[in-house]
C-alpha cells in the first residue's frame, strides 16, 4: 500500500504557485486576491477559512477575510456579495458553507459573479463543468483529480465508485471521473443513502471516493485487493486526550482498508490540503483569464 500524500503534493503546488506570483511581481502584473466570507462562529468553518487565508499568505496572494455576525440578514449578506462582485481588486471569493438557517444558500450562490466563483458552485460554472468547458472546478473534486494525476494513477476504463452525491463533493466528483480526460474516462457508480447493495458495489470498484460524512463507513471487507481509496470525510469526534478536545476521523477505516488497497489517502493530510491548493489555482486562473 502506498499513501496518497496530499500534504506533500499540496506543498509542491504551493511552491509552484509562489514561483508564479514572484514572476507576476517581476512583470508588474496583478497579484491574485482571494476573499473569504465567513458568517458566524462555527468552529470547523473558522478552521477552514483560516487555513485558506494562511495558504494565501504562504504563496504570496493577497487575501481578505470578511467575518460577519451570525445574525446578519440575507439582505445585508447579499449587499456584501455585491460589493465583492464590483470590487475590481478581488479576483475570486468564497462564501464558507454552511450558512445560518435564516439565509437561503441558493440565493447567495446565485448572487456570486460566476467569473469570481472560485469554489465553482454557481450553476453557470456547474453547467460548464458538465459540458467539459473551461471553468472553475469545485475545489475538493479538483484536488482529488490532481492528487490522482500527480501520483500517476491510471483511471481510464476503471470502475470508480463515488459514495455521496452532495453538490460540493460527490456529484461533481462523479462528473469529473467520467469525463473524456486523461484522468477521467472511468465508468462511474454514484451511491447515496438509498443505494442498495453498497457493499457489493464497493467490492467491484477499482477506485473508491468516500464522501458520506460517516466516520469509518468504508470497512476492509467492502474493498477489493489493489483498489485505490480516497477518503474525503472529516468528522470531529470528541477526544479528551487532545488539546483541542477532538480528533478528526475519515469515512474510511484506515487500518482495515489500508492493508488491502494499493493507494489510500490519510486523514488528515490527504484531500484537505488538496482542496485548499485547488482554490488557490482557481484564483490564479481567474486573474489570468481576465488578462
Ligand atoms: P453531505 O452534504 O452531508 O452529503 C453526504 C452524502 O452521503 C449524501 O449524498 C448522502 O446521501 C450520502 N450518504 C449518507 N449516508 C449514507 C449511507 N449510509 N450510504 C451511502 N450514502 C450515504 O456531505 P459532504 O458535504 O459531501 O461531505 C462529506 C464528508 O466530506 C464530510 O465528512 C465533510 O466534512 C467532508 N468534506 C471534506 C472536504 C475536504 O476538503 N477534505 C471538503 C468537503 C467535505 P443522500 O443524498 O441520499 O442524503
Amino acid at each position: 500500500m502506498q499513501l496518497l500524500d496530499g500534504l506533500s503534493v499540496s506543498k509542491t503546488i504551493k511552491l509552484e504557485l509562489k514561483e508564479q506570483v514572484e514572476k507576476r511581481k517581476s512583470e508588474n502584473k496583478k497579484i491574485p486576491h482571494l476573499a473569504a466570507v465567513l458568517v458566524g462562529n462555527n468552529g470547523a468553518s473558522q478552521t477552514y477559512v483560516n487555513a485558506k487565508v494562511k495558504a494565501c499568505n504562504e504563496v504570496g496572494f493577497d487575501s481578505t477575510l470578511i467575518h460577519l455576525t451570525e445574525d446578519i440578514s440575507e439582505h445585508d449578506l447579499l449587499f456584501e456579495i455585491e460589493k465583492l462582485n464590483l470590487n475590481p481588486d478581488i479576483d475570486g471569493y468564497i462564501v464558507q458553507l454552511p450558512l445560518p438557517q435564516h439565509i437561503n444558500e441558493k440565493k447567495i450562490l446565485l448572487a456570486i459573479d460566476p467569473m469570481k466563483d472560485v469554489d465553482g458552485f454557481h450553476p453557470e460554472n456547474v453547467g460548464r463543468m458538465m459540458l467539459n468547458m473551461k471553468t472553475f472546478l469545485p475545489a475538493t473534486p479538483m484536488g482529488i483529480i490532481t492528487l490522482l494525476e500527480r501520483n500517476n494513477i491510471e483511471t481510464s476504463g476503471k470502475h470508480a465508485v463515488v459514495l455521496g452525491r452532495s453538490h460540493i463533493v460527490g456529484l461533481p466528483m462523479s462528473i469529473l471521473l467520467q469525463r473524456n480526460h486523461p484522468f477521467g474516462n472511468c465508468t462511474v457508480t454514484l451511491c447515496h443513502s438509498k443505494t442498495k447493495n453498497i457493499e457489493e458495489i464497493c467490492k467491484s470498484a477499482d477506485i473508491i471516493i468516500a464522501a458520506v460524512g460517516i466516520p469509518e463507513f468504508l470497512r476492509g471487507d467492502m474493498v477489493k485487493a489493489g483498489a485505490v481509496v480516497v477518503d474525503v470525510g472529516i468528522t470531529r469526534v470528541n477526544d479528551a486526550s487532545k488539546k483541542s478536545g477532538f480528533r478528526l476521523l475519515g469515512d474510511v477505516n484506515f487500518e482495515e482498508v489500508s492493508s488491502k488497497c494499493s493507494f489510500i489517502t490519510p486523514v488528515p493530510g490527504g484531500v484537505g490540503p488538496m482542496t485548499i491548493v485547488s482554490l488557490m489555482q482557481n484564483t490564479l486562473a481567474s486573474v489570468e483569464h481576465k488578462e
Side-chain angles (χ1 to χ4, degrees):
M1 178 278 297
Q2 252 179 281
L3 267 192
L4 287 173
D5 187 346
L7 192 59
S8 158
V9 173
S10 75
K11 281 182 182 160
T12 306
I13 294 177
K14 277 187 199 162
L15 285 177
E16 292 166 8
L17 286 167
K18 202 170 171 195
E19 273 172 24
Q20 291 183 67
V21 170
E22 271 153 22
K23 184 165 177 284
R24 293 182 68 81
K25 269 189 193 155
S26 71
E27 293 167 352
N28 281 322
K29 288 185 171 166
K30 186 179 181 307
I31 302 304
H33 188 168
L34 175 72
V37 179
L38 174 65
V39 182
N41 295 310
N42 177 310
S45 293
Q46 275 177 328
T47 306
Y48 299 147
V49 167
N50 289 340
K52 289 164 190 173
V53 171
K54 184 168 163 259
C56 280
N57 295 336
E58 280 171 27
V59 301
F61 282 12
D62 290 332
S63 67
T64 300
L65 172 58
I66 300 163
H67 195 171
L68 304 166
T69 55
E70 180 89 21
D71 60 358
I72 188 170
S73 67
E74 190 177 277
H75 175 270
D76 288 353
L77 180 56
L78 284 168
F79 183 65
E80 292 294 333
I81 302 285
E82 193 52 22
K83 281 200 288 187
L84 288 166
N85 287 343
L86 295 174
N87 184 343
D89 196 52
I90 302 288
D91 302 299
Y93 67 94
I94 59 148
V95 179
Q96 185 66 44
L97 301 177
L99 290 170
Q101 293 261 309
H102 65 277
I103 293 175
N104 182 338
E105 257 177 35
K106 285 209 173 83
K107 222 170 170 178
I108 302 301
L109 211 64
L110 282 166
I112 297 174
D113 177 355
M115 302 291 283
K116 295 189 177 188
D117 169 41
V118 285
D119 252 341
F121 295 163
H122 190 283
E124 185 174 319
N125 288 325
V126 175
R128 293 178 72 86
M129 173 183 66
M130 293 284 295
L131 299 173
N132 211 0
M133 293 163 73
K134 205 171 159 56
T135 185
F136 298 121
L137 297 176
T140 301
M142 172 177 167
I144 293 170
I145 297 288
T146 308
L147 194 57
L148 297 175
E149 190 174 346
R150 299 260 176 153
N151 283 279
N152 290 314
I153 291 179
E154 175 77 42
T155 58
S156 190
K158 305 285 181 187
H159 179 208
V161 170
V162 179
L163 303 175
R165 58 175 163 186
S166 75
H167 293 169
I168 61 168
V169 188
L171 185 62
M173 190 72 247
S174 70
I175 293 163
L176 295 183
L177 283 169
Q178 61 73 44
R179 76 192 159 145
N180 189 355
H181 179 272
F183 289 89
N185 287 320
C186 289
T187 304
V188 180
T189 305
L190 181 59
C191 301
H192 45 76
S193 65
K194 312 288 186 297
T195 301
K196 294 203 168 86
N197 301 327
I198 213 160
E199 286 85 1
E200 291 308 313
I201 294 170
C202 287
K203 260 189 246 171
S204 73
D206 303 306
I207 299 170
I208 302 179
I209 314 286
V212 286
I214 303 173
E216 306 193 326
F217 177 85
L218 191 78
R219 317 281 313 207
D221 58 7
M222 294 165 76
V223 178
K224 81 172 174 190
V228 174
V229 177
V230 175
D231 188 351
V232 186
I234 320 173
T235 305
R236 289 180 171 199
V237 291
N238 293 336
D239 185 342
S241 71
K242 301 274 177 199
K243 210 172 122 197
S244 61
F246 66 85
R247 69 197 156 102
L248 299 179
L249 276 186
D251 286 354
V252 176
N253 183 314
F254 188 87
E255 209 180 301
E256 289 180 14
V257 173
S258 60
S259 62
K260 290 183 82 178
C261 62
S262 56
F263 289 91
I264 188 167
T265 57
V267 175
V271 174
M274 293 305 298
T275 297
I276 294 177
V277 289
S278 302
L279 194 62
M280 307 284 120
Q281 288 174 312
N282 277 345
T283 307
L284 177 64
S286 176
V287 192
E288 289 175 346
H289 180 74
K290 274 193 280 185
E291 287 161 359

